Amino acid sequence: DARFRFDSVRREKGFFLHSGRGEQGRFEAGQQVACRVDRDFRMATARNHTATHLLHHALRRVLGQHAKQSGSHVSAERLRFDFSNPTELGPDQLREVEDIVNAKILENDPVIGTQMSLSEAREAGAIALFGETYGDIVRVLSIGDYSRELCGGTHCESTGQVGLFRITHESSVAGGVRRIEAVTGLGVLERLRRREEQIGHVCRVLRTQEQDLERRAGELLGEIRALEREVQQERQRVAQQLASGSLLDQAEQIGDVRLILAVLGGRHAELRSAADVLRKDNERVACALASTHSGKVALVTAVSGDLVARGLSALRMATAAAAILDGGGGGRDDLAQAGGADPSRLEEAFDEVRRLVRENFGGDAATNRA
Ligand SMILES: [Zn+2]
């Protein structure tokens, strides 16, 4: 017993070429075979195919006659339909299109394929695909009295067999061409089940019931925001404490300037508040405060007003450090910041800041760490 499975069909020079792979045994020329269509697969494809005709009709009703088909792809799982329209479809338009298609499905209109000559088809007002070449005899697919298109595809016998139609995606393919993706029949059921599983999963994770899900998610987001605020306030408090106390103790003396180079926890905001306190509450103080997290460096430089007047610039310090840290910086002469992607060179960046301060005030004055 030999068996062969067909995967695809294409048309070439008037012949239909089926291709696939042997699953069992061998075939000989002249052998008699029984061919069977996979009914579930065929029906799923037919549902999606018939739905593209309904979709085309609905789009022209909602958007206007310019919404012409410019391509489509139908499989057992889904359908894809490209059409001309200058703008994105809004949610209301998509809903209207979906409603029209589903109304036509519920009306259960007959779907009838008729062979006729191309000129007869044109007279009957059938829509042909632009750019497609047709033979002398064509198949016109009619649905009710509202859709008539040239089509050789596999179809439902009536629209009711489509079951249900649901748009899953609307996007742009090219200028003036939009794409709608959709599912039908069991595909909609499958999607619905997946959504319900997702919602069930989220409910379990958030420890709530489905009817309370939105309220619970809102509550949790509120809690997270409040906690974030608390953490930030706490970090700033610590940064300010540091700035008013232990950081000054670490200062190194360069001429009459106290220079503070330190690595702290926190991010830009906390570094900035520490640097701000240092520069405002003191004279003859310059600092470069840095922190590292997830492979990045944040650095804030600050200079007290009297030193700015004497020509020292926090911005120049930040820019020089950023160049070494493989990043960028910005700010003012009294307060600036830099970010960088190379934390391993932080000490080098500090050295550069030290050099700048020395250049301004050091002369050959003694330099030592406190
Ligand atoms: Zn068709």
Side-chain angles (χ1 to χ4, degrees):
D1 252 6
R3 199 159 62 204
F4 192 91
R5 183 190 165 86
F6 296 103
D7 294 325
S8 68
V9 187
R10 69 177 197 280
R11 182 154 64 172
E12 214 159 280
K13 294 179 180 129
F15 290 98
F16 290 101
L17 303 178
H18 294 68
S19 59
R21 59 186 185 276
E23 286 190 330
Q24 193 181 303
R26 278 173 58 86
F27 289 94
E28 312 270 329
Q31 197 174 341
Q32 273 207 350
V33 295
C35 295
R36 209 180 59 230
V37 170
D38 181 339
R39 193 181 145 75
D40 291 345
F41 180 83
R42 164 65 64 93
M43 280 309 293
T45 310
R47 279 192 288 268
N48 284 334
H49 208 147
T50 298
T52 60
H53 291 252
L54 294 176
L55 174 60
H56 195 187
H57 163 72
L59 284 169
R60 286 161 68 99
R61 252 176 69 180
V62 172
L63 302 174
Q65 297 302 305
H66 68 271
K68 286 203 183 80
Q69 173 174 2
S70 69
S72 77
H73 180 79
V74 173
S75 73
E77 286 78 33
R78 67 184 68 84
L79 66 95
R80 200 176 74 196
F81 189 80
D82 299 344
F83 56 98
S84 38
N85 195 55
T87 55
E88 184 180 348
L89 274 69
D92 290 347
Q93 287 176 313
L94 288 173
R95 174 181 282 259
E96 198 184 342
V97 166
E98 208 174 67
D99 283 348
I100 291 173
V101 173
N102 282 301
K104 292 302 177 195
I105 291 171
L106 292 177
E107 278 170 20
N108 198 24
D109 297 314
V111 178
I112 297 163
T114 318
Q115 310 260 14
M116 59 180 83
S117 72
L118 188 56
S119 54
E120 277 175 316
R122 285 225 174 87
E123 264 165 51
I127 300 175
L129 257 185
F130 178 75
E132 190 93 345
T133 51
Y134 295 97
D136 295 336
I137 298 296
V138 293
R139 180 163 175 262
V140 174
L141 203 282
S142 312
I143 306 179
D145 58 0
Y146 49 85
S147 168
R148 209 166 284 150
E149 297 185 66
L150 297 191
C151 179
T154 180
H155 279 280
C156 299
E157 287 158 22
S158 62
T159 58
Q161 289 179 342
V162 175
L164 192 60
F165 171 83
R166 178 80 170 121
I167 293 174
T168 57
H169 220 70
E170 195 271 351
S171 58
S172 160
V173 216
V177 181
R178 309 295 305 179
R179 168 171 293 173
I180 280 181
E181 287 160 76
V183 287
T184 63
L186 297 173
V188 182
L189 182 62
E190 196 49 50
R191 202 178 148 79
L192 202 59
R193 282 186 183 140
R194 236 179 10 244
R195 281 282 182 277
E196 284 185 356
E197 271 169 30
Q198 280 174 338
I199 291 171
H201 179 70
V202 173
C203 284
R204 281 193 296 281
V205 169
L206 300 186
R207 301 211 176 107
T208 188
Q209 303 293 314
E210 198 177 321
Q211 65 270 22
D212 297 329
L213 187 56
E214 280 160 296
R215 189 179 53 76
R216 178 90 183 115
E219 274 172 11
L220 283 170
L221 277 177
E223 279 175 36
I224 289 169
R225 272 189 218 111
L227 285 171
E228 277 174 349
R229 267 197 303 277
E230 246 175 70
V231 168
Q232 192 165 355
Q233 280 164 4
E234 182 59 19
R235 277 190 186 149
Q236 294 214 353
R237 200 181 59 74
V238 171
Q240 286 176 350
Q241 249 179 8
L242 268 171
S244 58
S246 57
L247 276 177
L248 266 182
D249 298 340
Q250 295 177 35
E252 47 192 278
Q253 200 75 32
I254 297 177
D256 64 345
V257 172
R258 286 173 294 171
L259 173 64
I260 299 155
L261 302 171
V263 180
L264 307 178
R267 312 221 164 157
H268 263 129
E270 289 85 52
L271 298 177
R272 200 160 47 237
S273 59
D276 226 20
V277 173
L278 278 172
R279 115 190 130 83
K280 282 182 183 154
D281 291 359
N282 302 284
E283 290 189 329
R284 300 192 308 280
V285 158
C287 71
L289 307 179
S291 72
T292 61
H293 58 89
S294 8
K296 291 201 158 54
V297 199
L299 186 124
V300 172
T301 55
V303 173
S304 59
D306 58 319
L307 294 187
V308 174
R310 287 163 65 190
L312 187 63
S313 162
L315 179 58
R316 269 188 65 203
M317 285 156 61
T319 317
I324 291 171
L325 297 171
D326 190 19
R332 309 183 310 247
D333 281 338
D334 55 352
L335 186 67
Q337 64 182 46
D342 190 355
S344 70
R345 301 187 67 192
L346 189 53
E347 274 308 318
E348 255 178 89
F350 278 164
D351 280 343
E352 181 61 18
V353 171
R354 192 179 282 122
R355 201 188 58 73
L356 272 175
V357 176
R358 236 180 241 151
E359 197 177 271
N360 268 268
F361 307 109
D364 8 80
T367 297
N368 49 49
R369 276 176 194 268

